[in-house]
Coordinates of all heavy atoms in Angstrom, one line a residue:
M1 N 80.2 104.6 108.3 CA 81.1 104.0 107.2 C 82.5 104.5 107.3 O 83.4 103.8 107.3 CB 80.5 104.5 105.9 CG 79.5 103.5 105.3 SD 79.1 103.9 103.6 CE 77.4 104.3 103.8
A2 N 82.6 105.9 107.4 CA 83.9 106.5 107.6 C 84.5 106.1 108.9 O 85.7 106.3 109.1 CB 83.9 108.0 107.4
G3 N 83.7 105.6 109.8 CA 84.2 105.3 111.1 C 85.2 104.2 111.2 O 85.9 104.0 112.1
K4 N 85.4 103.5 110.1 CA 86.4 102.5 110.0 C 87.8 103.0 109.8 O 88.8 102.4 110.0 CB 86.1 101.4 108.9 CG 85.2 100.3 109.5 CD 85.6 99.0 108.8 CE 85.8 97.9 109.8 NZ 86.3 96.7 109.3
C5 N 87.9 104.2 109.2 CA 89.1 104.8 108.9 C 90.1 104.8 110.0 O 91.3 104.4 109.8 CB 88.9 106.2 108.3 SG 88.2 106.2 106.6
P6 N 89.8 105.3 111.2 CA 90.8 105.3 112.3 C 91.4 103.9 112.5 O 92.5 103.8 112.9 CB 90.0 105.8 113.5 CG 88.9 106.6 112.9 CD 88.5 105.8 111.6
E7 N 90.5 102.9 112.4 CA 91.0 101.5 112.6 C 92.1 101.2 111.6 O 93.1 100.6 111.9 CB 89.8 100.6 112.3 CG 89.8 99.4 113.2 CD 88.5 98.6 112.9 OE1 87.5 99.1 113.3 OE2 88.6 97.6 112.3
Y8 N 91.9 101.5 110.3 CA 92.9 101.3 109.3 C 94.1 102.1 109.5 O 95.2 101.6 109.4 CB 92.3 101.6 107.9 CG 91.3 100.5 107.5 CD1 90.0 100.8 107.4 CD2 91.8 99.3 107.1 CE1 89.1 99.9 106.9 CE2 90.9 98.3 106.7 CZ 89.5 98.6 106.6 OH 88.7 97.6 106.2
I9 N 93.9 103.3 109.9 CA 95.0 104.2 110.1 C 96.0 103.7 111.2 O 97.2 103.8 111.1 CB 94.5 105.6 110.5 CG1 93.7 106.1 109.3 CG2 95.7 106.5 110.9 CD1 93.9 107.3 108.8
S10 N 95.4 103.1 112.2 CA 96.2 102.6 113.3 C 97.0 101.4 112.8 O 98.0 101.0 113.4 CB 95.4 102.2 114.5 OG 94.5 101.1 114.2
N11 N 96.6 100.8 111.7 CA 97.4 99.7 111.1 C 98.3 100.1 110.0 O 99.1 99.2 109.5 CB 96.4 98.6 110.6 CG 95.8 97.8 111.7 OD1 96.5 97.3 112.6 ND2 94.5 97.7 111.7
L12 N 98.3 101.3 109.6 CA 99.0 101.7 108.4 C 100.5 101.6 108.6 O 101.2 101.2 107.7 CB 98.7 103.2 108.0 CG 97.3 103.3 107.3 CD1 97.1 104.7 106.9 CD2 97.2 102.4 106.1
N13 N 101.0 101.9 109.8 CA 102.5 101.8 110.0 C 102.9 100.3 109.8 O 103.9 100.1 109.1 CB 102.8 102.2 111.4 CG 102.8 103.7 111.6 OD1 103.1 104.4 110.6 ND2 102.4 104.2 112.7
D14 N 102.1 99.4 110.4 CA 102.5 98.0 110.2 C 102.3 97.6 108.7 O 103.1 96.9 108.2 CB 101.5 97.1 111.0 CG 101.9 97.2 112.5 OD1 103.0 97.6 112.8 OD2 101.1 96.8 113.3
Y15 N 101.3 98.2 108.1 CA 101.0 97.9 106.7 C 102.2 98.3 105.9 O 102.7 97.5 105.0 CB 99.8 98.6 106.3 CG 99.5 98.6 104.8 CD1 99.2 97.5 104.1 CD2 99.6 99.8 104.1 CE1 99.0 97.5 102.7 CE2 99.4 99.8 102.7 CZ 99.1 98.7 102.0 OH 98.9 98.7 100.7
L16 N 102.7 99.5 106.1 CA 103.9 100.0 105.4 C 105.1 99.2 105.7 O 106.0 99.0 104.8 CB 104.1 101.4 105.7 CG 103.0 102.4 105.1 CD1 103.3 103.8 105.6 CD2 103.0 102.4 103.6
D17 N 105.2 98.6 106.9 CA 106.4 97.8 107.2 C 106.2 96.4 106.8 O 107.1 95.6 106.9 CB 106.5 97.8 108.8 CG 107.3 99.0 109.2 OD1 107.8 99.7 108.4 OD2 107.2 99.3 110.4
G18 N 105.1 96.1 106.2 CA 104.8 94.7 105.8 C 104.6 93.8 107.0 O 104.7 92.6 106.9
G19 N 104.2 94.4 108.1 CA 104.0 93.6 109.3 C 102.6 93.2 109.6 O 102.3 92.7 110.6
V20 N 101.7 93.3 108.6 CA 100.3 92.9 108.8 C 100.1 91.6 108.1 O 100.8 91.2 107.2 CB 99.3 93.9 108.2 CG1 99.3 95.2 109.1 CG2 99.5 94.2 106.8
S21 N 99.1 90.9 108.5 CA 98.8 89.6 107.9 C 98.3 89.8 106.5 O 97.8 90.9 106.2 CB 97.7 88.9 108.7 OG 96.5 89.6 108.6
P22 N 98.4 88.8 105.7 CA 98.0 88.9 104.3 C 96.5 89.3 104.2 O 96.1 90.1 103.3 CB 98.2 87.5 103.7 CG 99.3 87.0 104.5 CD 99.1 87.5 105.9
E23 N 95.7 88.8 105.1 CA 94.3 89.1 105.1 C 94.0 90.6 105.4 O 93.3 91.3 104.7 CB 93.6 88.3 106.3 CG 92.9 87.1 105.8 CD 92.3 86.4 107.0 OE1 92.0 87.0 108.0 OE2 92.1 85.1 106.9
L24 N 94.7 91.1 106.4 CA 94.5 92.5 106.8 C 95.1 93.4 105.7 O 94.5 94.4 105.3 CB 95.2 92.8 108.1 CG 95.0 94.2 108.6 CD1 93.6 94.6 108.7 CD2 95.8 94.4 109.9
C25 N 96.2 92.9 105.1 CA 96.8 93.7 104.0 C 95.8 93.8 102.8 O 95.6 94.9 102.3 CB 98.0 92.9 103.5 SG 99.0 93.9 102.3
A26 N 95.2 92.7 102.5 CA 94.2 92.8 101.4 C 93.0 93.7 101.8 O 92.5 94.5 100.9 CB 93.7 91.4 101.1
E27 N 92.6 93.6 103.0 CA 91.5 94.4 103.5 C 91.9 95.9 103.4 O 91.1 96.8 102.9 CB 91.2 94.1 104.9 CG 89.8 94.3 105.3 CD 89.5 93.9 106.8 OE1 89.8 92.7 107.2 OE2 89.1 94.8 107.5
I28 N 93.1 96.2 103.8 CA 93.5 97.6 103.7 C 93.6 98.1 102.3 O 93.1 99.2 102.0 CB 94.9 97.8 104.4 CG1 94.7 97.6 105.9 CG2 95.5 99.2 104.1 CD1 96.1 97.7 106.7
Q29 N 94.1 97.2 101.4 CA 94.2 97.6 100.0 C 92.8 97.8 99.4 O 92.6 98.8 98.7 CB 95.0 96.6 99.3 CG 96.5 96.8 99.4 CD 97.3 95.7 98.8 OE1 96.8 94.7 98.5 NE2 98.6 96.0 98.7
A30 N 91.9 97.0 99.8 CA 90.5 97.2 99.3 C 90.0 98.5 99.8 O 89.3 99.2 99.0 CB 89.7 96.0 99.8
H31 N 90.2 98.8 101.0 CA 89.7 100.0 101.6 C 90.4 101.2 100.9 O 89.7 102.2 100.6 CB 90.0 100.1 103.1 CG 89.5 101.3 103.7 ND1 88.2 101.6 104.0 CD2 90.2 102.4 104.2 CE1 88.1 102.8 104.5 NE2 89.3 103.3 104.7
L32 N 91.6 101.1 100.7 CA 92.3 102.2 100.0 C 91.8 102.4 98.6 O 91.8 103.6 98.1 CB 93.8 101.9 99.9 CG 94.6 101.9 101.2 CD1 96.1 101.6 101.0 CD2 94.5 103.2 101.9
G33 N 91.3 101.4 98.0 CA 90.7 101.5 96.7 C 89.5 102.3 96.6 O 89.2 103.0 95.6
E34 N 88.8 102.4 97.8 CA 87.5 103.1 97.8 C 87.5 104.3 98.7 O 86.5 105.1 98.8 CB 86.4 102.2 98.1 CG 86.6 101.5 99.5 CD 85.6 100.3 99.6 OE1 85.2 99.7 98.6 OE2 85.2 100.0 100.8
C35 N 88.6 104.5 99.4 CA 88.6 105.6 100.3 C 89.8 106.5 100.0 O 91.0 106.2 100.2 CB 88.8 105.1 101.8 SG 88.8 106.5 102.9
R36 N 89.5 107.7 99.4 CA 90.5 108.6 98.9 C 91.3 109.2 100.1 O 92.5 109.3 100.0 CB 89.8 109.7 98.1 CG 90.8 110.4 97.3 CD 90.1 111.3 96.2 NE 91.0 112.4 95.9 CZ 90.8 113.6 96.5 NH1 89.9 113.8 97.4 NH2 91.6 114.6 96.2
N37 N 90.6 109.4 101.2 CA 91.3 110.0 102.3 C 92.4 109.1 102.8 O 93.5 109.6 103.1 CB 90.3 110.3 103.4 CG 89.4 111.5 103.1 OD1 89.9 112.5 102.6 ND2 88.2 111.4 103.5
C38 N 92.1 107.9 103.0 CA 93.1 106.9 103.5 C 94.3 106.8 102.5 O 95.4 106.6 102.9 CB 92.5 105.6 103.8 SG 91.6 105.6 105.3
R39 N 93.9 106.8 101.2 CA 94.9 106.7 100.2 C 95.9 107.9 100.3 O 97.1 107.7 100.2 CB 94.3 106.7 98.8 CG 95.1 105.9 97.8 CD 94.2 105.3 96.7 NE 93.5 106.4 96.1 CZ 92.2 106.4 95.7 NH1 91.5 105.3 96.0 NH2 91.6 107.4 95.1
I40 N 95.4 109.1 100.4 CA 96.3 110.2 100.6 C 97.1 110.1 101.8 O 98.3 110.4 101.8 CB 95.4 111.5 100.7 CG1 94.7 111.8 99.4 CG2 96.2 112.7 101.2 CD1 93.7 112.9 99.4
M41 N 96.5 109.5 102.9 CA 97.2 109.3 104.1 C 98.4 108.4 104.0 O 99.5 108.6 104.5 CB 96.3 108.8 105.2 CG 96.7 109.1 106.6 SD 97.2 110.9 106.8 CE 95.6 111.7 106.9
V42 N 98.1 107.3 103.2 CA 99.2 106.3 103.0 C 100.3 106.9 102.2 O 101.5 106.7 102.5 CB 98.6 105.1 102.2 CG1 99.7 104.2 101.8 CG2 97.7 104.3 103.2
D43 N 99.9 107.7 101.2 CA 101.0 108.3 100.3 C 101.8 109.2 101.2 O 103.1 109.2 101.1 CB 100.3 109.2 99.2 CG 99.9 108.3 98.1 OD1 100.3 107.1 98.1 OD2 99.2 108.8 97.2
T44 N 101.2 110.0 102.1 CA 101.9 110.9 102.9 C 102.8 110.1 103.8 O 104.0 110.5 104.0 CB 100.9 111.7 103.8 OG1 100.0 112.3 102.9 CG2 101.7 112.8 104.5
L45 N 102.3 109.1 104.4 CA 103.1 108.2 105.3 C 104.3 107.6 104.6 O 105.4 107.6 105.1 CB 102.2 107.1 105.9 CG 101.7 107.4 107.3 CD1 100.9 106.2 107.7 CD2 102.8 107.5 108.3
K46 N 104.0 107.1 103.4 CA 105.0 106.5 102.6 C 106.2 107.5 102.4 O 107.3 107.1 102.5 CB 104.4 106.0 101.3 CG 104.0 104.6 101.3 CD 103.6 104.2 99.8 CE 103.1 102.8 99.8 NZ 102.3 102.6 98.5
Q47 N 105.8 108.7 102.0 CA 106.8 109.7 101.7 C 107.6 110.0 102.9 O 108.8 110.1 102.8 CB 106.1 110.9 101.1 CG 106.0 110.9 99.6 CD 105.2 112.0 99.1 OE1 104.9 113.0 99.8 NE2 104.7 111.9 97.8
T48 N 106.9 110.1 104.0 CA 107.5 110.4 105.3 C 108.5 109.3 105.6 O 109.7 109.6 105.9 CB 106.5 110.6 106.4 OG1 105.5 111.5 106.0 CG2 107.2 111.1 107.7
V49 N 108.1 108.1 105.5 CA 109.0 107.0 105.8 C 110.2 107.0 104.9 O 111.3 106.8 105.3 CB 108.2 105.7 105.7 CG1 109.1 104.5 105.9 CG2 107.1 105.6 106.8
K50 N 109.9 107.2 103.6 CA 110.9 107.1 102.6 C 112.0 108.3 102.9 O 113.2 108.0 102.9 CB 110.3 107.3 101.2 CG 111.3 106.9 100.2 CD 110.5 106.8 98.8 CE 111.5 106.6 97.7 NZ 111.6 107.7 96.8
L51 N 111.4 109.4 103.2 CA 112.3 110.6 103.5 C 113.2 110.2 104.6 O 114.4 110.5 104.6 CB 111.5 111.8 103.8 CG 110.9 112.5 102.5 CD1 110.0 113.7 103.0 CD2 112.0 113.0 101.6
C52 N 112.6 109.7 105.7 CA 113.4 109.4 106.9 C 114.4 108.3 106.6 O 115.5 108.4 107.0 CB 112.4 108.9 108.0 SG 111.4 110.1 108.7
R53 N 114.0 107.3 105.8 CA 114.9 106.3 105.5 C 116.0 106.7 104.6 O 117.1 106.2 104.6 CB 114.2 105.1 104.9 CG 113.4 104.3 106.0 CD 112.8 103.1 105.5 NE 112.1 102.4 106.6 CZ 111.1 101.6 106.5 NH1 110.6 101.3 105.3 NH2 110.5 101.1 107.5
D54 N 115.7 107.6 103.7 CA 116.7 108.1 102.8 C 117.8 108.9 103.5 O 118.9 108.8 103.3 CB 116.1 109.0 101.7 CG 115.4 108.1 100.6 OD1 115.6 106.9 100.7 OD2 114.7 108.7 99.8
G55 N 117.2 109.7 104.4 CA 118.1 110.6 105.2 C 119.0 109.8 106.2 O 120.2 110.0 106.2
V56 N 118.3 109.0 107.0 CA 119.0 108.2 107.9 C 118.7 106.7 107.7 O 117.6 106.4 107.5 CB 118.5 108.5 109.4 CG1 119.5 107.9 110.4 CG2 118.4 110.0 109.5
E57 N 119.8 106.0 107.6 CA 119.5 104.6 107.2 C 119.1 103.8 108.4 O 119.7 102.8 108.8 CB 120.7 104.0 106.5 CG 120.9 104.5 105.1 CD 121.9 103.7 104.4 OE1 122.2 102.6 104.7 OE2 122.5 104.3 103.5
E58 N 118.0 104.2 109.0 CA 117.5 103.5 110.1 C 116.0 103.5 110.0 O 115.4 104.2 109.3 CB 117.9 104.2 111.4 CG 119.2 103.6 112.0 CD 119.6 104.3 113.2 OE1 118.8 104.7 114.0 OE2 120.8 104.5 113.3
Q59 N 115.4 102.7 110.9 CA 113.9 102.6 110.9 C 113.4 103.9 111.5 O 114.1 104.6 112.2 CB 113.5 101.5 111.8 CG 113.4 100.2 111.0 CD 112.5 99.2 111.8 OE1 112.6 99.1 113.0 NE2 111.6 98.6 111.1
L60 N 112.2 104.2 111.1 CA 111.5 105.4 111.7 C 111.5 105.2 113.2 O 111.1 104.2 113.8 CB 110.0 105.4 111.2 CG 109.2 106.6 111.2 CD1 109.9 107.7 110.4 CD2 107.9 106.4 110.7
P61 N 112.0 106.2 113.9 CA 112.0 106.1 115.4 C 110.6 105.9 115.9 O 109.7 106.5 115.4 CB 112.6 107.5 115.8 CG 113.2 108.1 114.6 CD 112.5 107.5 113.4
Q62 N 110.5 105.1 116.9 CA 109.2 104.8 117.4 C 108.4 106.0 117.9 O 107.2 106.1 117.7 CB 109.3 103.7 118.5 CG 108.0 103.1 118.8 CD 108.1 101.9 119.7 OE1 109.2 101.6 120.2 NE2 107.0 101.2 120.0
A63 N 109.2 106.9 118.5 CA 108.5 108.1 119.0 C 107.9 108.9 117.9 O 106.7 109.4 118.0 CB 109.5 109.0 119.7
L64 N 108.5 108.9 116.8 CA 108.0 109.6 115.6 C 106.8 108.9 115.1 O 105.8 109.5 114.7 CB 109.1 109.8 114.5 CG 108.6 110.4 113.2 CD1 108.1 111.8 113.5 CD2 109.8 110.5 112.3
E65 N 106.9 107.6 115.1 CA 105.8 106.8 114.6 C 104.6 107.0 115.4 O 103.5 107.2 114.9 CB 106.2 105.3 114.7 CG 106.1 104.6 113.3 CD 106.6 103.1 113.4 OE1 105.9 102.4 114.1 OE2 107.6 102.8 112.8
E66 N 104.8 107.0 116.7 CA 103.7 107.2 117.6 C 103.0 108.6 117.4 O 101.8 108.7 117.5 CB 104.1 107.0 119.1 CG 104.1 105.5 119.4 CD 104.9 105.3 120.7 OE1 105.2 106.2 121.4 OE2 105.2 104.1 121.0
K67 N 103.9 109.5 117.2 CA 103.5 110.9 117.1 C 102.6 111.0 115.8 O 101.6 111.6 115.8 CB 104.7 111.8 116.9 CG 104.4 113.2 117.4 CD 105.7 114.0 117.4 CE 105.5 115.4 117.5 NZ 106.8 116.2 117.4
L68 N 103.1 110.4 114.8 CA 102.4 110.4 113.5 C 101.0 109.8 113.6 O 100.0 110.3 113.2 CB 103.2 109.6 112.4 CG 104.0 110.4 111.5 CD1 104.7 109.5 110.5 CD2 103.2 111.4 110.7
T69 N 101.0 108.6 114.2 CA 99.8 107.9 114.4 C 98.8 108.7 115.2 O 97.6 108.8 114.9 CB 100.0 106.5 115.1 OG1 101.1 105.8 114.4 CG2 98.8 105.6 115.1
G70 N 99.3 109.3 116.3 CA 98.5 110.1 117.1 C 97.9 111.3 116.4 O 96.7 111.6 116.5
L71 N 98.7 111.9 115.6 CA 98.2 113.0 114.8 C 97.2 112.6 113.8 O 96.1 113.3 113.7 CB 99.4 113.6 114.0 CG 100.3 114.6 114.7 CD1 101.5 115.0 113.8 CD2 99.5 115.9 115.0
L72 N 97.4 111.5 113.1 CA 96.5 111.0 112.2 C 95.1 110.7 112.8 O 94.1 111.0 112.3 CB 97.0 109.8 111.5 CG 98.2 110.0 110.6 CD1 98.7 108.7 110.0 CD2 97.9 111.0 109.5
R73 N 95.2 110.0 113.9 CA 94.0 109.7 114.7 C 93.2 110.9 115.0 O 92.0 111.0 114.8 CB 94.4 109.0 116.0 CG 94.2 107.6 116.0 CD 94.7 107.0 117.3 NE 95.0 105.6 117.2 CZ 94.1 104.6 117.3 NH1 92.8 105.0 117.6 NH2 94.4 103.4 117.2
K74 N 93.9 111.9 115.6 CA 93.2 113.2 116.0 C 92.6 113.8 114.7 O 91.4 114.2 114.8 CB 94.3 114.1 116.5 CG 94.1 114.5 117.9 CD 95.1 115.6 118.3 CE 95.2 115.8 119.8 NZ 96.3 116.6 120.1
H75 N 93.3 113.8 113.7 CA 92.8 114.4 112.4 C 91.5 113.7 112.0 O 90.5 114.3 111.7 CB 93.9 114.3 111.4 CG 93.5 114.7 110.0 ND1 93.4 116.1 109.7 CD2 93.1 114.1 108.9 CE1 93.0 116.2 108.5 NE2 92.8 115.0 107.9
W76 N 91.6 112.4 112.1 CA 90.4 111.6 111.6 C 89.2 111.7 112.5 O 88.1 111.9 112.1 CB 90.8 110.1 111.5 CG 90.7 109.7 110.1 CD1 89.7 108.8 109.6 CD2 91.5 110.0 109.0 NE1 89.9 108.7 108.2 CE2 91.0 109.4 107.8 CE3 92.6 110.8 108.8 CZ2 91.5 109.5 106.6 CZ3 93.2 110.9 107.6 CH2 92.7 110.3 106.4
E77 N 89.5 111.7 113.8 CA 88.4 111.8 114.8 C 87.8 113.2 114.6 O 86.5 113.3 114.7 CB 89.0 111.6 116.2 CG 89.0 110.2 116.6 CD 89.9 109.9 117.8 OE1 90.2 110.9 118.5 OE2 90.3 108.8 117.9
K78 N 88.5 114.2 114.4 CA 88.0 115.5 114.2 C 87.1 115.5 113.0 O 86.1 116.2 113.0 CB 89.2 116.5 114.0 CG 88.9 117.9 114.6 CD 90.3 118.6 114.6 CE 90.1 120.1 114.5 NZ 91.4 120.7 114.2
K79 N 87.6 114.9 112.0 CA 86.9 114.9 110.7 C 85.6 114.0 110.7 O 84.6 114.4 110.2 CB 87.8 114.4 109.6 CG 87.5 115.1 108.3 CD 88.7 114.8 107.3 CE 88.3 115.4 106.0 NZ 89.3 115.1 104.9
F80 N 85.8 112.8 111.3 CA 84.7 111.9 111.1 C 84.1 111.5 112.5 O 83.0 110.9 112.5 CB 85.2 110.6 110.5 CG 85.7 110.8 109.1 CD1 87.0 110.5 108.8 CD2 84.9 111.3 108.1 CE1 87.5 110.7 107.5 CE2 85.4 111.5 106.8 CZ 86.7 111.2 106.5
G81 N 84.8 111.7 113.5 CA 84.4 111.2 114.8 C 83.0 111.4 115.3 O 82.4 110.6 115.9
R82 N 82.5 112.6 115.0 CA 81.2 113.0 115.6 C 80.0 112.7 114.7 O 78.9 113.1 115.0 CB 81.2 114.5 116.0 CG 82.3 114.8 117.0 CD 81.9 114.4 118.4 NE 83.0 114.4 119.3 CZ 83.0 113.7 120.5 NH1 81.9 113.1 120.9 NH2 84.1 113.8 121.2
K83 N 80.3 112.1 113.6 CA 79.2 111.9 112.6 C 78.6 110.5 112.7 O 79.3 109.6 112.9 CB 79.6 112.3 111.2 CG 80.0 113.7 111.1 CD 79.5 114.3 109.8 CE 79.5 115.9 110.0 NZ 79.2 116.5 108.7
Ligands
ZN1 ZN1 89.4 105.3 104.9

């Protein structure tokens, strides 16, 4: 069940950018409704993105985005990967 989380996480950057299809967007939102962990992750990401955008009026550098995604993945795999 929790195995789906990494899949959503890998889409969260796009989700926050509004770059996902309406279908996937609805799916993610539904998932966020029932998965507290992902919700927290989105909040954190949102804040990070907002902070970056407030500080520098530019998009989140891709390197940072990749780093974030990698970190989140690792975190999730560690938490749920082996179960
Ligand atoms: Zn989740």
